[in-house]
Amino acid sequence: MNTLLSDGKLVRRIELVNVIVLFCAVLGAAVFFSMGKALGVLVGGVTVTASFQVMKWQLGRAFRHPQQPPSKGVLFVKYYLRFLGTLFLVFTVLYYGWVDPPAFLAGLSVVMVSIVLVAIVEAAKMVMRGER
């Protein structure tokens, strides 16, 4: 069981896979659909990636000193402010029709797809090693 990735390495792997998935999604949208749809995927992917990076930064700051745990109230307020900021950005982009909505929503799923892909690869490695 000591072969599990450290938290930092796991997050970096998710970030790398995220960049690869976003690049492939934008390229695929440009090749198979249109540049407008590729722009929608790109804007959605950049939005969710920025939100993920801000969340990583917030949680990193909050738990930097294990002997001094953060206040739950402050942590939740900051988390939901980030969430509301992202929600406002998504609403604004969709309301004004700056990009194609289905392509934008596809771009918003990039981080989730990256997390699932990394989890599948790590689970497969554990199975191949005979771990549970």
Side-chain angles (χ1 to χ4, degrees):
M1 197 62 97
N2 58 359
T3 58
L4 293 176
L5 287 176
S6 71
D7 295 340
K9 286 183 180 179
L10 194 58
V11 170
R12 281 192 296 277
R13 184 165 294 162
I14 290 170
E15 291 170 341
L16 175 64
V17 171
N18 182 54
V19 170
I20 294 168
V21 168
L22 180 58
F23 176 77
C24 292
V26 170
L27 185 64
V31 168
F32 295 111
F33 296 104
S34 67
M35 289 306 290
K37 293 203 186 295
L39 178 65
V41 171
L42 179 64
V43 170
V46 167
T47 300
V48 75
T49 301
S51 178
F52 182 77
Q53 290 299 321
V54 170
M55 182 177 62
K56 175 184 140 187
W57 174 77
Q58 284 177 329
L59 292 176
R61 275 191 64 205
F63 295 108
R64 185 170 296 143
H65 305 291
Q67 66 275 18
Q68 190 178 39
S71 164
K72 290 179 189 174
V74 172
L75 189 62
F76 283 121
V77 167
K78 287 180 180 179
Y79 177 84
Y80 283 109
L81 283 175
R82 178 198 55 81
F83 178 73
L84 288 174
T86 304
L87 188 64
F88 176 76
L89 182 62
V90 168
F91 174 78
T92 303
V93 168
L94 291 176
Y95 182 78
Y96 288 108
W98 292 335
V99 294
D100 183 58
F104 180 69
L105 295 175
L108 287 176
S109 67
V110 166
V111 170
M112 185 266 316
V113 169
S114 302
I115 291 169
V116 169
L117 286 174
V118 169
I120 290 170
V121 168
E122 290 303 311
K125 287 180 183 177
M126 288 175 65
V127 168
M128 299 268 263
R129 288 191 295 255
E131 297 177 11
R132 285 188 177 215

